[in-house]
């Protein structure tokens, strides 16, 4: 019998492979049974205490109001649809927030390194003030600022089409007409051409060292093509917001509500303070020798930044940047405090009449999938730079 | 002994592992399942020495913190009344602050003894959350608008931006009302009352909807109260009262009896000032309430014979609690002529009558 | 911040002195000058408006009349003296830190002492004994300073030089916290004493237990952040090692745990911990929500900590591991004795950074009904009609408090970074 415990003459308790397997199995048992114990306990208690739980409610009519929606929403729609609407609100805030925060973060980060003492000190103050105060406090502050704007009827009007007041920002927006899809196709082709031209010209710039304005050329191609097609096909009508009704509220166009503005400003400023520090550290991580070398081969300041400093800094910048994007998305869950109907806020309202625990599970899974998306982007990027570096 | 045997070894180990895991899970599950949940809340509260109430701290008059950090308010006093009845000490309370979204899970899990947090009694909550004990305050939802808008009825509110606090039935009632009447509207939902009030004052919204009692209180806090009107429509019923967890009849009855006792005491003009004299007086009903003669079921409930004396000494009767928190001593809501006055033929001479606050006979 | 006027008159006035500095840093080119002017105008306008609001328009009663609530929450008044003693212990530690790492901790000790002096003297309603206990913090800092020996690489301070050799033997004898071990023991003793003083012990006169639920205000923010960081460090290390491990099941479990916790907002975790965690315990084990919050924050923080540790370990040069292997160290020895310690050294600034963000995140515990600083401010405004218009004052005050703490911590972090030379390699 004892022979069974020997593998190739080595006793099993000294066999590395077997040991590893034993450790694995023990850890698996521990992990699995902990999880199972946890779930079973919870399930049993939920049953024992009659705590409402389950997901049958999602198809019932929600009968709750949602203040703003990207896609049309009625209170008679289902919970499921209501959560989608709320999720899209979260996505809207986080996508816009990510773009703006990155832009402002880069500006502030570069300003931080500016030779102008006042500018660099103000950038420093901006960073140190905004990243050291809890976001919830900042959001409430920005809401107060938005509320001090004039009300709709006394608000600022630009060119009879853009309205700025304490209900938010109202812009003319487009309505798709018959020729929309052909136009979209042409625009897409234009964008593809522009990308091609951008790469081509960039490469020439790198090879010759002469500025060949790739960004300018690319934007001319894309915008020009799209505009020409727009004039020929006429696919879009413009919907201008107008003041209507006895309460003088604005209807039509694109509306960015006051709460949304406050949320966006708060998220952008808070996150951009972190991004600025990341950008600063990234730029500083590029050795001084690199800049000097670029200068010595005759590259101008702008070209040095674009082709030497930035590409190298990006490797340092991108990974923490993506985790900031993730933070911004998660932080948008504070929107409830200032009246923006994001996922958490709407789920909170729904708990009035639907099982809270199920709702919060849905919310957690939604955030989780968003963050996995970010992780995916980060991994893709990492793979990309590794490939190039190899 | 080669590759093959190692493969079998691995396979065997995996099988053993899975078996172990399943066994562990099954064992745990079985062991846990044998426990049965028996709750005797009265005994639990007495053993603990404190009464745990879920309430709030952010609504003036109902539940808030004073400058010394003491919990005060109408809801808090109801909690103190129950604590006094059961433990003899109005300070033997622990207030768990909960958000609106937490009310359901908190009372369902039974982690608190009492939920007194301006909870509207609705049938689905009664079925899902816990047992509603007694309506201690009748409210209804209304609208407040600036006078200069010239609105005289809620039916004229089509196209308005409406401010509302999040996470309460207020929000749902508002949706129902506008949908029912085919009115367009733009909801602005905020978490905090002060933010709603600011948004309303700054004109981000035209209308402020809330429980009428809240609206009245907030209106009086505005710089020029006469510039704002509360519209006549009441769009919902909001009976508020304490809730106890499901599954303990005795506890349900105890809280119900304490609430009835408070109202009964007011109806028979027994106050914190005069209960000692009344206890030795000749009013039979009053003596029964105060435990000096006869009984109304104290023993069955596991309460002391004279618990109402303790309660009255600690917090006073319903009218006193109301006056201190919601009436002249608090946020100054009128009671006379409203639904929160005592029922029409209450025997006391000087208390407000004609309302719906009613206690069953105590005997 | 501003340049000192140089004494030498020889170079032209446009390159030295205030004028030269201005020219070099603010007006080096026309565009630069324009930027400077615009920014200066905006800055002055902003400061003026803020100042006139703070000093003229704002009504600070909502803060002043309820000051203790913001600091310690509903902690019973009879126990305030215990908290004052905790402060004294912290002062002693600060004094020690000041002596041991003058660069990093001196300003912090000064700042703390200044705040204590201000609160102790500033005329407001406070019992004289509490006032005296607060003022005692100043000698307590000095005590900590004296009890610690001067590090070898720090030159003697001016005061010490003045006192000369007469005092130095006495100072040396007084310096009992001479070894790192003694310092750690002192810190641990102070920590345990602090916890005992704050929570109390049943049956000991004067140390009546305090309901953990009554802990609140700034105190609970600090306690939660501190314990969150301390407890999350070992868990984080474990998770990081698990994630680096070659055992697939363990690795996958750690990865899933880390990514799930990092992927959801803290408020949803808090909600779940409030309503799901109690269900996993037996019915009679009713844990207080303070501990629930602590557990949740620790779990939340440990996922981030794991990523920090992993990053720190990845930054250790692979040559280290190779050298260890060449010396015949086993894999686990290599990890525990070579890679991990160096990795941890790498992440000290990251840990401080995480402490800062955790400290800010503790303001979310309002979600499970705890009265932290932010929630206390909210409640003061919401629950009292006379303060319904004072939201701005309250939030400005809260912002200032958080800012002071976070900023001083990031300041320390930068100093530590300098001391360790983390950024330089």
């Amino acid at each position: 019998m004892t022979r069974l415990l020997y593998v190739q003459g080595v006793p099993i308790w000294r066999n590395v492979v077997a040991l590893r397997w034993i450790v694995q199995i023990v850890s698996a048992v521990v992990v699995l049974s902990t999880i199972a114990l946890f779930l079973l306990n919870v399930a049993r208690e939920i049953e024992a205490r009659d705590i409402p739980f389950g997901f049958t409610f999602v198809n019932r009519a929600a009968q709750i109001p949602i203040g703003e929606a990207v896609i049309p929403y009625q209170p008679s729609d289902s919970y499921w649809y209501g959560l989608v609407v709320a999720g899209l609100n979260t996505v809207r805030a986080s996508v816009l927030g990510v773009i703006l925060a990155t832009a402002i973060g880069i500006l502030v980060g570069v300003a931080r390194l500016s030779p102008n003492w006042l500018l660099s000190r103000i950038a420093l103050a901006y960073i140190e003030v905004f990243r050291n105060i809890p976001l919830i406090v900042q959001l409430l502050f920005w809401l107060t600022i938005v509320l001090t704007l004039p009300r709709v009827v006394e608000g600022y009007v630009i060119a009879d089409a853009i309205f700025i007041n304490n209900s938010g920002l109202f812009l003319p927006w487009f309505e798709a007409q018959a020729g929309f899809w052909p136009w979209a196709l042409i625009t897409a082709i234009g964008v593809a051409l522009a990308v091609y031209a951008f790469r081509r010209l960039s490469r020439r710039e790198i090879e010759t060292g002469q500025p060949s304005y790739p960004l300018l050329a690319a934007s001319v191609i894309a915008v020009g093509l799209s505009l020409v097609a727009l004039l020929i096909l006429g696919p879009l009508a413009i919907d201008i917001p107008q003041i209507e009704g006895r309460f003088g509220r604005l209807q039509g166009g694109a509306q960015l509500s006051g709460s949304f503005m406050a949320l966006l400003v708060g998220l952008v400023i808070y996150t951009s303070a972190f991004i600025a520090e990341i950008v600063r550290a990234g730029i500083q991580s590029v050795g001084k020798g690199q800049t000097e070398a670029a200068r010595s081969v005759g590259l101008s300041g702008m070209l040095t930044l674009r082709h030497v400093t930035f590409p190298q800094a990006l490797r340092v910048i991108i990974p923490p940047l993506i985790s900031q994007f993730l933070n911004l998305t998660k932080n948008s869950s504070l929107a409830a405090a200032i009246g923006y109907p994001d996922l958490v806020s709407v789920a909170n309202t729904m708990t009035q009449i639907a099982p809270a625990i199920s709702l919060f599970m849905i919310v957690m899974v939604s955030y989780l999938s968003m963050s996995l998306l970010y992780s995916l982007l980060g991994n893709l990027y990492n793979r990309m730079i590794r490939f190039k570096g190899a | 002994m080669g590759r093959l045997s190692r493969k079998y070894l691995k396979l065997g180990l995996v099988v053993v592992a899975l078996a172990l895991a399943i066994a562990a899970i099954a064992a745990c599950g079985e062991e846990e399942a044998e426990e049965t949940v028996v709750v005797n809340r009265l005994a639990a509260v007495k053993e603990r020495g404190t009464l745990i109430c879920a309430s709030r701290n952010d609504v003036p008059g109902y539940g808030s913190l004073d400058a010394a950090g003491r919990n005060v308010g109408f809801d808090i006093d109801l909690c103190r009344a129950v604590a006094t009845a059961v433990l003899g000490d109005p300070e033997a309370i622990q207030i768990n602050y909960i958000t609106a979204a937490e009310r359901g899970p908190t009372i369902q899990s039974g982690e608190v003894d009492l939920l007194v947090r301006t909870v509207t009694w609705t049938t689905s909550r009664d079925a899902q959350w816990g047992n509603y004990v007694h309506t201690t305050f009748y409210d209804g939802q209304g609208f407040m608008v600036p006078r200069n808008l010239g609105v005289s009825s809620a039916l004229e509110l089509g196209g308005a931006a409406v401010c509302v606090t999040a996470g309460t039935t207020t929000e749902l009632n508002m949706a129902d009302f506008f949908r029912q009447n085919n009115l367009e509207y733009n909801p602005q939902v905020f978490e905090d009352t002060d933010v709603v009030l600011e948004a309303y004052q700054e004109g981000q919204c035209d209308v402020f909807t809330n429980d009428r009692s809240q609206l009245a209180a907030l209106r009086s806090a505005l710089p020029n109260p006469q510039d704002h009107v509360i519209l006549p429509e009441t769009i919902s019923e909001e009976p508020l009262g304490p809730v106890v967890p499901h599954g303990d009849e005795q506890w349900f009855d105890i809280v119900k009896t304490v609430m009835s006792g408070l109202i009964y005491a007011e109806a028979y003009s027994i106050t914190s000032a005069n209960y000692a004299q009344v206890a030795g007086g000749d009013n039979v009903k009053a003596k029964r309430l105060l435990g000096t003669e006869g009984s109304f079921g104290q023993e069955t409930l596991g309460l002391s014979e004279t618990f109402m004396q303790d309660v009255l000494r600690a917090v006073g009767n319903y009218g006193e609690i109301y006056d201190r928190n919601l009436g002249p001593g608090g946020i100054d809501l009128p009671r006379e002529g409203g639904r929160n006055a005592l029922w029409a033929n209450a025997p006391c001479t000087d208390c407000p009558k004609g309302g719906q606050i009613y206690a069953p006979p105590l005997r | 911040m501003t340049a000192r006027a140089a004494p030498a008159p020889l170079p032209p006035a446009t390159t030295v002195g205030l004028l030269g500095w201005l020219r070099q840093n603010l007006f080096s080119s026309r565009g630069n000058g324009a930027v400077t002017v615009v920014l200066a105008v905006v800055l002055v306008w902003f400061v003026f408006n803020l100042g006139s609001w703070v000093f003229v328009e704002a009504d600070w009663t909502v803060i002043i009349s309820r000051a203790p609530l913001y600091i310690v929450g509903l902690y019973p008044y009879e126990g305030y003296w215990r908290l004052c003693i905790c402060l004294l212990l912290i002062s002693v530690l600060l004094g020690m830190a000041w002596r041991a790492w003058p660069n990093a901790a001196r300003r912090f000790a000064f700042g703390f002492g200044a705040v204590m002096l201000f609160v102790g003297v500033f005329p407001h309603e406070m019992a004289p004994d509490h006032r005296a206990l607060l003022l005692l913090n100043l000698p307590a800092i000095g005590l900590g300073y004296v009890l610690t020996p001067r590090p070898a690489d720090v030159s003697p301070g001016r005061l010490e030089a003045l006192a000369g050799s007469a005092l130095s033997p006495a100072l040396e004898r007084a310096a009992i916290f001479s070894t790192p071990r003694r310092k750690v023991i002192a810190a641990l003793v102070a920590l345990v004493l602090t916890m005992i003083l704050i929570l109390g012990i049943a049956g000991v006169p004067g140390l009546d237990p305090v309901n953990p639920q009554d802990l609140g205000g700034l105190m609970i923010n600090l306690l939660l952040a501190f314990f969150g960081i301390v407890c999350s460090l070992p868990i984080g290390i474990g998770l990081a090692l698990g994630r680096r491990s070659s055992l697939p099941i363990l690795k996958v479990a750690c990865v899933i745990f880390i990514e799930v916790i990092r992927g959801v907002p803290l408020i949803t975790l808090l909600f779940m911990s409030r309503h799901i965690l109690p269900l996993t315990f037996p019915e009679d084990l009713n844990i207080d929500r303070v501990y629930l919050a602590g557990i949740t924050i620790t779990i939340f923080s440990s996922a981030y900590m794991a990523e920090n540790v992993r990053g720190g370990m990845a930054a250790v040069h692979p040559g280290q591991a190779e050298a260890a292997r060449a010396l015949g160290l086993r894999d686990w020895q290599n990890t525990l004795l070579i890679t991990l310690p160096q990795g941890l050294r790498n992440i000290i600034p990251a840990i401080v950074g995480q402490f800062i963000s955790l400290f800010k995140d503790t303001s979310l515990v309002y979600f499970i009904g705890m009265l932290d600083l932010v929630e206390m401010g909210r409640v003061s405004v919401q629950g009292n009609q006379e303060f319904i218009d004072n939201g701005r004052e309250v939030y400005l005050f809260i912002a200032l408090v958080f800012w002071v703490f976070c900023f001083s911590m990031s300041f320390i972090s930068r100093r530590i970074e300098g001391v360790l030379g983390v950024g330089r390699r």
Side-chain angles (χ1 to χ4, degrees):
Chain A
M1 273 314 278
T2 50
R3 289 194 59 178
L4 268 179
L5 295 173
Y6 283 79
V7 182
Q8 288 174 339
V10 184
I12 200 165
W13 54 91
R14 317 243 352 213
N15 183 321
V16 176
V17 178
L19 277 179
R20 289 176 65 88
W21 274 96
I22 290 168
V23 174
Q24 285 236 45
I25 287 161
V26 169
S27 60
V29 169
V30 170
V31 169
L32 286 180
S33 48
T34 315
I35 295 172
L37 186 69
F38 183 86
L39 291 181
L40 280 175
N41 255 346
V42 171
R44 179 176 52 83
E45 286 293 318
I46 281 180
E47 203 159 321
R49 302 187 193 185
D50 272 339
I51 294 174
F53 180 76
F55 295 92
T56 49
F57 71 93
V58 294
N59 290 321
R60 282 208 302 269
Q63 298 188 313
I64 63 152
I66 298 180
E68 48 192 300
V70 184
I71 49 177
Y73 170 81
Q74 295 291 322
S76 53
D77 289 325
S78 68
Y79 281 97
W80 187 240
Y81 188 75
L83 286 168
V84 169
V85 168
L88 285 177
N89 279 341
T90 294
V91 169
R92 176 164 78 139
S94 29
V95 167
L96 273 177
V98 159
I99 295 169
L100 292 174
T102 313
I104 294 179
I106 291 175
L107 280 183
V108 177
V110 171
R112 179 78 187 83
L113 296 169
S114 153
N116 185 320
W117 183 85
L118 191 62
L119 184 60
S120 106
R121 285 291 140 160
I122 287 183
L124 176 68
Y126 176 93
I127 293 169
E128 292 296 357
V129 166
F130 289 115
R131 71 172 185 172
N132 285 330
I133 296 173
L135 181 58
I136 180 90
V137 178
Q138 294 193 36
L139 288 178
L140 289 167
F141 171 76
W142 292 116
L143 183 70
T144 315
I145 296 293
V146 167
L147 288 179
T148 51
L149 287 171
R151 49 188 71 198
V152 176
V153 279
E154 300 148 4
Y156 308 112
V157 184
I158 300 167
D160 275 339
I162 300 172
F163 297 79
I164 302 171
N165 47 57
N166 67 7
S167 289
L169 173 65
F170 296 76
L171 300 167
W173 201 243
F174 308 104
E175 271 177 3
Q177 305 283 316
F180 179 77
W181 289 112
W183 172 77
L185 188 69
I186 292 174
T187 307
I189 293 171
V191 169
L193 277 177
V195 170
Y196 175 74
F198 180 80
R199 293 199 158 177
R200 190 74 195 265
L201 289 171
S202 294
R203 201 174 305 141
R204 214 182 80 186
E205 210 174 61
I206 293 172
E207 279 162 4
T208 63
Q210 298 299 317
S212 38
Y213 310 106
L215 201 61
L216 189 69
S219 27
V220 166
I221 293 175
V223 174
L225 208 59
S226 177
L227 269 181
V228 170
L230 190 70
L231 291 177
I232 298 171
L233 291 169
L236 298 173
I238 293 177
D239 180 18
I240 296 175
Q242 274 170 345
I243 298 184
E244 281 174 13
R246 71 185 294 177
F247 298 103
R249 293 286 153 188
L250 283 154
Q251 301 289 333
Q255 314 190 352
L256 304 176
S257 74
S259 305
F260 178 70
M261 303 285 284
L263 175 71
L264 196 62
V265 170
L267 282 176
V268 162
I269 288 187
Y270 183 73
T271 314
S272 67
F274 289 91
I275 293 182
E277 273 298 277
I278 294 171
V279 168
R280 178 192 63 83
I283 292 179
Q284 281 182 335
S285 77
V286 178
K288 212 170 183 178
Q290 295 283 331
T291 334
E292 283 161 3
R295 285 276 160 77
S296 71
V297 297
L299 287 179
S300 70
M302 208 43 217
L303 283 179
T304 308
L305 201 64
R306 229 178 78 66
H307 291 300
V308 180
T309 316
F310 233 75
Q312 296 189 60
L314 270 189
R315 281 166 185 253
V316 184
I317 291 175
I318 295 283
L321 192 65
I322 286 181
S323 98
Q324 284 305 323
F325 293 170
L326 173 58
N327 282 348
L328 185 143
T329 307
K330 288 198 291 172
N331 283 335
S332 70
S333 61
L334 297 179
I338 55 167
Y340 180 68
D342 81 317
L343 201 51
V344 172
S345 155
V346 168
N348 234 338
T349 303
M350 286 178 173
T351 57
Q352 298 291 313
I353 30 184
I357 292 172
S358 315
L359 275 168
F360 270 77
M361 279 185 173
I362 296 177
V363 170
M364 284 174 95
V365 169
S366 317
Y367 276 101
L368 205 55
S369 35
M370 283 187 251
S371 74
L372 287 182
L373 206 66
Y374 283 117
S375 298
L376 199 70
L377 284 180
N379 286 343
L380 275 181
Y381 178 81
N382 277 340
R383 199 159 297 165
M384 212 168 73
I385 56 172
R386 199 178 301 155
F387 183 68
K388 272 187 189 165
Chain B
M1 289 304 212
R3 286 202 85 76
L4 200 67
S5 62
R6 198 179 291 175
K7 212 170 181 180
Y8 279 117
L9 185 72
K10 281 184 185 176
L11 196 69
L13 285 175
V14 169
V15 169
V16 170
L18 284 181
L20 272 176
I22 292 166
I25 293 163
C28 298
E30 213 165 304
E31 184 196 338
E32 299 287 331
E34 280 168 18
E35 285 177 31
T36 44
V37 186
V38 183
V39 194
N40 182 347
R41 204 162 280 279
L42 180 64
V45 171
K46 280 188 169 160
E47 195 194 321
R48 199 192 302 128
T50 48
L51 178 79
I52 304 180
C53 296
S55 188
R56 65 196 309 172
N57 48 24
D58 53 0
V59 178
Y62 293 90
S64 59
L65 283 178
D66 67 5
R70 214 178 106 90
N71 290 295
V72 293
F74 184 77
D75 286 346
I76 307 292
D77 278 347
L78 295 184
C79 175
R80 288 187 195 279
V82 176
T84 319
V86 176
L87 302 165
D89 179 6
E91 298 302 322
I93 54 167
Q94 175 185 327
I95 305 289
N96 284 5
Y97 308 120
I98 56 170
T99 59
E102 278 187 301
R103 291 178 299 185
T106 306
I107 195 74
Q108 279 151 6
S109 71
E111 61 178 270
V112 297
D113 305 315
L114 198 61
L115 170 66
V116 268
R117 191 197 175 278
T118 52
V119 206
T120 304
W121 175 28
T122 70
T123 48
S124 68
R125 287 173 176 179
D126 208 345
Q128 284 190 353
W129 289 8
N131 284 326
Y132 277 79
V133 173
H134 200 300
T135 301
T136 49
F137 190 86
Y138 288 92
D139 217 330
Q141 187 175 340
F143 295 98
M144 177 162 74
V145 293
R147 192 178 289 278
N148 60 18
L149 282 179
V151 177
S152 58
S153 155
L155 294 170
E156 298 168 30
L157 291 177
V162 186
C163 271
V164 62
T165 40
T168 60
T169 43
T170 322
E171 211 181 335
L172 310 178
N173 295 333
M174 173 187 75
D176 285 355
F177 172 80
F178 282 98
R179 206 145 65 92
Q180 191 66 56
N181 293 297
N182 279 323
L183 298 172
E184 284 285 313
Y185 75 115
N186 177 11
Q188 310 264 330
V189 187
F190 297 97
E191 220 165 50
D192 281 336
T193 315
D194 72 321
V195 181
V196 177
L197 197 66
E198 198 176 343
Y200 171 75
Q201 280 178 280
E202 299 291 349
Q204 194 185 35
C205 47
D206 310 301
V207 191
F208 182 178
T209 180
N210 207 328
D211 287 352
R212 296 181 76 91
S213 68
Q214 293 290 310
L215 286 181
L218 288 169
R219 178 171 172 258
S220 64
L222 287 172
N224 294 309
Q226 68 280 7
D227 288 351
H228 304 271
V229 279
I230 295 175
L231 299 178
E233 284 88 351
T234 301
I235 64 167
S236 74
E237 286 294 307
E238 306 283 344
L240 313 178
V243 191
V244 295
H246 277 144
D248 191 338
E249 298 271 305
Q250 187 197 13
W251 182 247
F252 183 27
D253 290 338
I254 288 173
V255 180
K256 205 156 36 175
T257 307
V258 175
M259 295 303 136
S260 306
L262 291 173
I263 297 167
Y264 202 79
E266 189 189 11
Y268 288 90
S269 307
I270 312 168
T271 65
S272 54
N274 71 2
Y275 74 91
Q277 299 148 356
V278 177
D282 53 4
N283 186 325
V284 181
K285 284 181 176 173
K287 285 168 86 173
R288 185 158 57 230
L289 178 73
L290 297 172
T292 44
E293 192 184 295
S295 158
F296 60 98
Q298 295 100 315
E299 204 180 335
T300 330
L301 294 171
L303 299 173
S304 83
E305 287 292 322
T306 55
F307 82 88
M308 271 314 292
Q309 293 195 30
D310 303 333
V311 172
L312 288 172
R313 178 173 55 237
V315 294
N317 64 31
Y318 179 88
E320 289 175 88
I321 296 175
Y322 188 103
D323 286 346
R324 184 164 60 236
N325 298 299
L326 304 177
I331 56 175
D332 209 10
L333 297 180
R335 189 170 173 216
E336 189 83 53
R339 295 171 67 185
N340 292 304
L342 287 184
W343 74 99
N345 55 353
C348 78
T349 47
D350 57 342
C351 54
K353 283 181 210 163
Q356 282 174 293
I357 295 296
Y358 175 75
L362 265 76
R363 65 183 307 119
Chain C
M1 295 286 146
T2 54
R4 297 195 187 107
L10 291 174
T14 44
T15 57
V16 292
L18 187 61
L19 216 61
W21 182 88
L22 282 176
R23 200 186 170 97
Q24 237 171 28
N25 292 302
L26 295 177
F27 299 98
S28 60
S29 68
R30 204 169 287 175
N32 227 333
V35 168
T36 304
V37 169
V38 169
L39 287 179
V41 168
V42 171
L43 200 65
V44 167
W45 173 84
F46 177 75
V47 170
F48 177 77
N49 273 314
L50 185 70
S52 76
W53 183 79
V54 166
F55 293 108
V56 182
E57 289 164 48
D59 175 11
W60 296 99
T61 341
V62 61
I63 308 290
I64 294 165
S65 67
R66 305 164 75 95
L69 294 185
Y70 295 103
I71 310 296
V72 297
L74 304 185
Y75 202 84
Y77 181 79
E78 303 78 50
Y80 278 12
W81 65 270
R82 284 157 43 180
L83 301 180
C84 291
I85 300 217
C86 293
L87 281 181
L88 289 179
L89 290 172
I90 293 171
S91 287
V92 173
L93 290 183
L94 262 181
M96 286 168 63
W98 176 11
R99 184 60 153 167
W101 308 288
N103 275 331
R106 190 182 57 227
R107 291 190 196 198
F108 209 45
F110 275 5
F112 189 75
V115 169
M116 289 302 137
L117 186 67
F118 177 76
V119 178
V121 174
F122 186 66
H124 56 97
E125 294 166 35
M126 185 192 272
D129 45 344
H130 295 157
R131 212 182 274 265
L133 279 173
L134 285 183
L135 288 176
L136 261 183
N137 278 294
L138 301 178
I141 295 177
L143 182 71
Y145 187 86
V146 171
L147 290 181
T148 316
R150 176 162 55 85
D153 56 339
V154 176
S155 54
R158 248 170 290 162
L159 202 67
E160 234 169 302
L162 259 175
S165 52
L167 257 175
S168 60
L171 276 178
E172 256 164 52
R173 239 174 296 126
I176 51 170
F177 298 129
S178 49
T179 59
R181 193 171 168 184
R182 289 187 183 176
K183 281 180 195 136
V184 169
I185 289 176
L188 283 180
V189 168
L191 189 67
V192 171
L193 275 180
T194 306
M195 282 331 290
I196 291 176
L197 281 167
I198 290 179
L199 290 173
I201 306 175
V204 181
L207 282 180
D208 299 322
V210 170
N211 186 347
Q213 198 142 25
D214 289 342
L215 303 180
L218 179 61
M219 180 169 68
I220 201 69
N221 291 109
L222 287 170
L223 282 177
L224 282 176
F226 181 78
F227 281 95
I229 278 291
V230 171
C231 301
S232 71
L233 187 61
I235 305 177
I237 291 175
L239 285 170
L241 292 181
R243 195 168 182 170
R244 281 171 65 97
S245 119
S246 53
L247 306 173
I249 297 177
L250 194 65
K251 184 174 174 168
V252 167
C254 289
V255 169
I256 291 179
F257 180 86
I258 293 172
E259 293 301 328
V260 166
I261 300 293
R262 273 162 44 98
V264 297
L266 180 56
I267 50 173
T268 60
L269 280 180
L270 284 168
F271 184 90
M272 282 299 173
S273 79
R274 256 309 261 116
H275 299 297
I276 295 285
L277 264 188
L279 300 185
T280 64
F281 297 109
E283 179 102 18
D284 46 340
L285 191 75
N286 203 347
I287 38 175
D288 196 277
R289 58 178 71 195
V290 179
Y291 301 122
L292 279 181
I295 293 172
T296 315
I297 282 179
T298 305
I299 291 175
F300 179 74
S301 168
S302 61
Y304 283 84
M305 191 63 90
E307 287 300 275
N308 282 341
V309 173
R310 193 169 71 108
M313 287 172 75
V316 174
H317 196 278
Q320 297 283 336
E322 282 160 21
R325 209 166 296 144
L327 285 174
L329 266 62
R330 310 287 289 270
D331 272 359
W332 64 268
Q333 285 173 319
N334 180 0
T335 306
L336 286 186
L337 302 175
I338 308 292
T339 316
L340 185 62
Q342 298 191 56
L344 286 184
R345 201 185 88 121
N346 282 344
I347 60 162
I348 289 177
I351 292 180
V352 180
Q354 201 191 325
F355 182 78
I356 296 173
S357 68
L358 198 62
F359 176 57
K360 283 182 294 176
D361 281 342
T362 54
S363 62
L364 297 180
V365 293
Y366 82 90
F367 208 73
I368 59 173
M370 282 169 59
L371 281 171
D372 77 308
L373 177 59
V374 178
E375 179 67 356
M376 189 58 89
R378 200 187 71 86
V379 161
S380 300
V381 174
Q382 303 300 313
N384 296 281
Q385 231 148 46
E386 66 263 39
F387 297 137
I388 198 94
D389 278 337
N390 293 130
R392 285 170 214 208
E393 285 88 344
V394 169
Y395 288 118
L396 190 71
F397 168 75
I398 291 171
L400 188 70
V401 172
F402 269 95
W403 185 82
V404 166
F405 274 89
C406 295
F407 181 74
S408 25
M409 282 184 284
S410 75
F411 177 83
I412 290 175
S413 148
R414 251 173 290 147
R415 284 296 166 105
I416 295 176
E417 228 171 301
V419 171
L420 293 176
V422 171
R424 284 204 295 270
R425 278 171 304 141

